[in-house]
Amino acid sequence: MRRLLAILVVSTILPLCTMSCVKDGYADEKSVRLEFSADTVCFDTVFTTVGTITQQVKVYNRSTSDIELSAITLKQGRQSRFRINVDGDTAMVARHVELQAGDSLFIFVQANINPNDDAEPFICTDSILFSNGQYLPLAAWGRNAVYHRIAADDDSSWFCRIDCASWRHDRPHVFLDPAAVLDGNTLILQPGDELHFADGAMIIIDSNASLVANGTADQPILLTSLRHDPWYRNMPGQWQTVWFYNYSVGNVVNHAVVENAEGGLRCYPGSQLAVSNTIIRNCSDAGIIGQDATITGNNLLVYDCFSSMVLIGGGNYGFSSSTFADYWNYRDHSRDTAAVIVSNYFLLSPTEAYANHMRAVFNNCIVYGSWARGEVAVTQVEGYDMDAQFVHSIVRGGTWDEDPMFTDPSADDYTLQDGSPAEGIGYSFE
């Protein structure tokens, strides 16, 4: 009799235990297959020691059953180079995550990669594990770099000093703060060199210092922003500028790409720059800024800037076989100025101006865009020479105003269609 009672008690308890593993109203989590908004969460070009942006992935329960996931975690646990946030839960393991039928939740992912000795990009991987047996892959392309930042114990300067003699060409350079090439020094950049700038960072070429950047058609020198995820890839204004300070001389930029800055190349009074075979794009101010400087340019493509070029306060400028194409309409913020601005003065204050003699010659160039009032604005003050010439150049609003027939400006394709009146002038894509 006692044995029978024991059997009855055990047989009664076991079903209760089984039922307690799944909450009332919830299906067994393993019976539901989740769907994700992405097959893999990928991060493109993560520099070691510099954290990434936060990416998000959405998890859907498209079934007709409510479930409770007992755990969502990272496969590599605390050793992972990734971190997750599950609907606000930042613990290493999110537990008892309820997901009702037809509902969804967000998982936010970041990556932070430790440095190693690799010269080439490498990949870090992990997975988000779900207690129903599914997983979501994570991947980040890591790169080691040379970092430029103001030393933590240096409160005497607002920039860090570049050691030109020890510049490495086998790794990209990341500028986290403003940096300067000081008086008497020359920074020499070689084909394939990459300079990446964080928000607020820039490179200053001091008085009597120089930048000599000679890339090639196959290996241009890249000056770009730190972030390259899709949201940031073409975002203007992510870093400041390459600033050629007063009387910086002997500067050369050849076969380079300058992108995503506030002002691409900025030349101050007395500075000299020869720029050729170069693309400048996605600048929130102007692609090239000259203030009483000397700039020569050949075979340039400047596009998608608030203004392609601003030349003010005098100076001596000559550009040939170049295209200045301005269809700026970044996220519905249209521009209200010409692509090329030429003036022999600029205002220091509402009542004071800086002025000097100005000569600017454009030969075999295209200056075209979406500004219906004309893509060149020339202004002057009396007392200083003003000579602005556009020779054999298509200029919207100018003497030769004819659509150059770019292939597709909306897709950043500024090659010329067959039959273009601009054939033989402007930037050469060969």
Side-chain angles (χ1 to χ4, degrees):
M1 185 68 178
R2 288 180 181 177
R3 184 179 178 186
L4 178 60
L5 179 60
I7 292 173
L8 288 173
V9 169
V10 170
S11 64
T12 303
I13 292 173
L14 281 175
L16 291 174
C17 288
T18 303
M19 291 174 61
S20 67
C21 294
V22 179
K23 287 186 178 180
D24 291 343
Y26 288 94
D28 181 353
E29 60 182 327
K30 296 185 183 299
S31 69
V32 172
R33 184 163 185 81
L34 303 171
E35 296 182 20
F36 308 116
S37 58
D39 294 331
T40 304
V41 179
C42 291
F43 295 88
D44 181 26
T45 312
V46 181
F47 290 107
T48 56
T49 77
V50 178
T52 66
I53 63 166
T54 299
Q55 293 210 44
Q56 67 180 35
V57 62
K58 207 167 185 180
V59 181
Y60 300 94
N61 175 9
R62 300 196 189 278
S63 74
T64 57
S65 303
D66 301 340
I67 61 170
E68 182 186 70
L69 296 164
S70 57
I72 300 176
T73 188
L74 290 164
K75 181 179 180 180
Q76 296 176 15
R78 295 189 179 277
Q79 302 303 312
S80 178
R81 303 318 307 163
F82 298 87
R83 292 292 179 267
I84 59 173
N85 177 326
V86 182
D87 262 2
D89 188 342
T90 59
M92 289 301 299
V93 182
R95 300 188 183 280
H96 308 299
V97 180
E98 298 178 357
L99 192 53
Q100 297 182 349
D103 204 354
S104 61
L105 62 85
F106 282 103
I107 299 179
F108 301 92
V109 187
Q110 287 183 314
N112 196 314
I113 300 176
N114 287 337
N116 58 33
D117 293 328
D118 288 346
E120 297 299 320
F122 55 92
I123 189 168
C124 292
T125 60
D126 199 354
S127 297
I128 302 175
L129 300 183
F130 299 84
S131 53
N132 71 335
Q134 291 181 255
Y135 66 94
L136 178 64
L138 308 175
W141 287 98
R143 295 188 72 184
N144 291 297
V146 178
Y147 294 92
H148 301 267
R149 68 181 77 191
I150 299 171
D153 57 354
D154 183 4
D155 57 2
S156 63
S157 179
W158 58 274
F159 60 85
C160 57
R161 294 159 177 78
I162 295 176
D163 184 351
C164 300
S166 63
W167 184 274
R168 293 183 62 170
H169 301 281
D170 60 336
R171 290 188 178 182
H173 288 249
V174 173
F175 292 82
L176 301 174
D177 295 305
V181 178
L182 296 182
D183 185 351
N185 290 283
T186 298
L187 175 61
I188 298 176
L189 301 181
Q190 297 178 359
D193 278 1
E194 297 182 22
L195 285 66
H196 300 258
F197 298 85
D199 182 28
M202 62 177 164
I203 187 168
I204 306 157
I205 312 301
D206 197 12
S207 302
N208 299 313
S210 302
L211 170 67
V212 177
N214 273 310
T216 64
D218 294 332
Q219 290 185 294
I221 292 166
L222 179 64
L223 298 99
T224 187
S225 50
L226 181 61
R227 304 295 189 194
H228 296 94
D229 301 277
W231 174 260
Y232 291 91
R233 192 161 293 149
N234 298 316
M235 179 185 290
Q238 294 185 59
W239 57 284
Q240 291 196 49
T241 188
V242 180
W243 183 7
F244 300 95
Y245 198 60
N246 297 3
Y247 302 100
S248 166
V249 297
N251 297 295
V252 175
V253 176
N254 179 37
H255 283 297
V257 175
V258 183
E259 61 185 13
N260 304 344
E262 292 179 12
L265 304 176
R266 182 186 296 270
C267 298
Y268 263 31
S271 63
Q272 300 173 0
L273 170 64
V275 55
S276 56
N277 306 307
T278 290
I279 296 173
I280 304 173
R281 59 194 176 203
N282 303 327
C283 295
S284 58
D285 189 352
I288 297 175
I289 302 169
Q291 293 179 249
D292 196 12
T294 298
I295 304 176
T296 59
N298 177 65
N299 199 39
L300 308 179
L301 174 60
V302 185
Y303 70 91
D304 277 0
C305 302
F306 192 75
S307 285
S308 294
M309 179 181 296
V310 174
L311 308 175
I312 54 178
N316 193 354
Y317 309 94
F319 298 94
S320 61
S321 302
S322 297
T323 296
F324 305 95
D326 217 329
Y327 294 84
W328 168 280
N329 190 25
Y330 181 70
R331 294 182 183 169
D332 298 325
H333 295 288
S334 59
R335 62 193 175 97
D336 56 359
T337 188
V340 173
I341 297 171
V342 182
S343 177
N344 66 357
Y345 75 97
F346 63 88
L347 294 177
L348 297 171
S349 72
T351 59
E352 185 180 12
Y354 178 106
N356 207 342
H357 303 298
M358 164 75 81
R359 177 177 171 80
V361 178
F362 296 79
N363 187 36
N364 290 326
C365 292
I366 302 171
V367 184
Y368 214 81
S370 57
W371 187 236
R373 298 182 188 180
E375 290 295 3
V376 171
V378 179
T379 59
Q380 67 182 97
V381 293
E382 297 296 328
Y384 297 91
D385 294 339
M386 179 71 208
D387 182 13
Q389 301 180 32
F390 292 84
V391 181
H392 195 246
S393 296
I394 288 181
V395 177
R396 182 164 190 178
T399 304
W400 183 13
D401 182 351
E402 195 170 359
D403 188 342
M405 298 172 57
F406 296 127
T407 298
D408 189 358
S410 65
D412 298 341
D413 186 350
Y414 292 95
T415 57
L416 301 176
Q417 300 178 45
D418 291 341
S420 166
E423 184 178 356
I425 68 172
Y427 178 78
S428 173
F429 287 85
E430 296 181 358

